[in-house]
Amino acid sequence: MVAQQSLSELSTDQLREMVEALLRTAAAKDEQVTRQSTEIRHKQALIDKLTHENALLKRLKFAAQSERYSAEQRSLLDETLDADLQAVSDEIEQLTSAAAAPREKQQPRRQPLPANLPRREIHHEPESTTCGSGCRMKRIGEDVSEKLDYQPGVFTVERHVRGKWVCTQCETLIQAPVPAQVIDKGIPTAGLLAQVMVAKYADHLPLYRQEKIFGRAGFEIARSTLAQWVGSCGVQLQPLVDALKEEILTHGVLHADETPVQMLKPGNGKTHRAYLWAYAPGAFEGMKAVLYDFCETRAGEHARAFLGDWRGSLVCDDYSGYKAGFATGRVTEVGCLAHARRKFFDLHAASKSQVAASALQQIGALYEIERELRDLAPDERQRIRQVRSKPVLDALHRWMLLTRQKITDGSATARALDYSLKRWTALTRFAGDGRLPVDNNHIENQIRPIAIGRNNWLFAGSLRAGKRAAAVMSLIQSAKLNGHDPYAYLKDVLARLPTQRASQVGELLPHRWQPPLKNHD
């Protein structure tokens, strides 16, 4: 581009080049404006949705006082609404922080932490106390903030001391920055927050029970405060859960299962059946993880929405909700031999059926082979299955077909045989692919702790609360699968999240996380 030159002095080619450059610049700016306008409209629509949800939650919180709930139901509902309100507030703040100047929130005046609690001082001083002019700075004071920490049964207080240093000649004042926290200006340490989250989502202790436990330890924390912490932590951990889902969907073999969970319908005091879906990489995949997805129904659309454009082999039971996904051709159905075996096991337990006993014996032979192949490479596993498992499967199939011809329609024996015969292709697909497991027991083992825990937490207080529980339980159970202590994992993650770059959040996923090295000084 010719600069500082009269247009009349430019050649035709130079003028043409200038016009084309201006047009490209204008088009790029128009595209940028259009993109920004779309983002603003999308963000505003999300803010409006969250604002509406916030108002609805507040109405439900006050309306619930007049509903007829048991004391336990009311307590669980209150903590759910408090957690949801805090989560919505945090999400709105995240969306508006970039668009508007930060506004100092009205913080409630906190009571000082009890003087009788043990205290541990943590000093934060500048790396250098020499100012730019080379003068030695003088310490003139300090700021102290206190954080409440918790080890099982014992409260302690962390006193964060930030010295103030000033240069007497150039009047420069420096001070170490405030350490980033998951809950800005809050009193809980990452350890206390991890304790609350693990107790609620791994040990299935409702917050009203934790309130009493903390009271016995010397400092009672109101359940409404605990609920706000839970809501905030749920929002902060969500990007990590999103990253976990994205990585799980990179695997070509997945397990899927679902279990019913009661969800409260505020307004009528009743619950209805919702579902917790579970997904995990194949049992022979290198990644150890599980992701739960809380949905209001058992409709197959939830599985299709979760999987999206994913392509691969899905190990699951015979639930019809998965069938539409198989019809697209992107997803290959892999049956669960354990489900087929269970039909014969129940039949044998009920009537000592000889047909069932014969089926169990032949299926048992397949499992004996699988136990030997567990630690082999996929190619070697496939080779041995073709040599040893396929003949057993072929013989089992012929026996089932011949036996079925002799059994009366509608009988329990006929139903057990029909289950396997109708799904034979899916049930035997593992024989031709060494990556595929023989059954869906891997995911059933991951969903069992949730099924046991729901006896304690009774129901999910809302759809948002159910999704939050599913997200946190995904991280906790995945940490367990990788041999980590869930408390140590969440404590470290909650301490690092505030300063972790979004592009590096995958480093904190349970299958990559390493416990921090202990300081032996």
Side-chain angles (χ1 to χ4, degrees), residues 122-182:
I122 301 175
H123 289 268
H124 306 273
E125 302 293 353
E127 292 183 2
S128 172
T129 55
T130 302
C131 73
S133 59
C135 299
R136 187 71 179 172
M137 307 182 80
K138 179 181 179 183
R139 200 175 194 274
I140 61 170
E142 62 188 24
D143 287 333
V144 178
S145 61
E146 293 193 332
K147 301 287 182 182
L148 187 64
D149 196 18
Y150 182 82
Q151 295 290 334
V154 180
F155 276 113
T156 56
V157 177
E158 288 185 355
R159 299 187 76 246
H160 291 262
V161 182
R162 299 165 53 239
K164 296 179 179 179
W165 294 77
V166 68
C167 176
T168 56
Q169 294 189 21
C170 60
E171 299 183 352
T172 300
L173 176 68
I174 63 171
Q175 188 176 31
V178 178
Q181 303 287 329
V182 167

Side-chain angles (χ1 to χ4, degrees), residues 268-341:
N268 58 17
K270 297 180 180 179
T271 60
H272 83 283
R273 177 172 286 191
Y275 277 84
L276 191 71
W277 300 66
Y279 304 89
F284 298 126
E285 300 286 305
M287 179 184 181
K288 296 179 181 178
V290 61
L291 191 70
Y292 302 111
D293 186 27
F294 186 88
C295 303
E296 285 193 278
T297 69
R298 200 188 182 195
E301 63 189 72
H302 298 304
R304 294 194 296 277
F306 180 92
L307 296 173
D309 295 330
W310 177 78
R311 293 176 178 272
S313 300
L314 186 68
V315 188
C316 58
D317 59 22
D318 194 31
Y319 172 51
S320 60
Y322 299 111
K323 302 299 184 185
F326 303 142
T328 64
R330 294 194 303 267
V331 182
T332 301
E333 180 182 12
V334 180
C336 173
L337 196 61
H339 274 77
R341 180 188 180 280

Side-chain angles (χ1 to χ4, degrees), residues 66-80:
S66 62
E67 299 292 343
R68 293 183 177 180
Y69 297 113
S70 67
E72 198 170 38
Q73 281 182 320
R74 182 180 295 280
S75 179
L76 289 168
L77 177 58
D78 283 344
E79 69 183 50
T80 295

Side-chain angles (χ1 to χ4, degrees), residues 318-378:
D318 194 31
Y319 172 51
S320 60
Y322 299 111
K323 302 299 184 185
F326 303 142
T328 64
R330 294 194 303 267
V331 182
T332 301
E333 180 182 12
V334 180
C336 173
L337 196 61
H339 274 77
R341 180 188 180 280
R342 202 168 298 152
K343 304 294 183 184
F344 293 108
F345 180 86
D346 292 340
L347 178 62
H348 187 265
S351 62
K352 303 300 179 184
S353 164
Q354 291 301 309
V355 171
S358 180
L360 290 173
Q361 182 180 11
Q362 295 178 75
I363 294 174
L366 292 167
Y367 272 95
E368 284 294 330
I369 298 171
E370 285 301 309
R371 275 188 278 274
E372 298 176 25
L373 308 183
R374 183 178 301 149
D375 299 324
L376 298 182

Side-chain angles (χ1 to χ4, degrees), residues 190-191 194 487-497 508 513-516:
Y487 169 78
Y489 170 70
L490 276 186
K491 178 181 178 180
D492 185 59
V493 165
L494 289 171
R496 293 168 60 183
L497 262 180
L508 302 181
W513 179 80
Q514 294 294 327

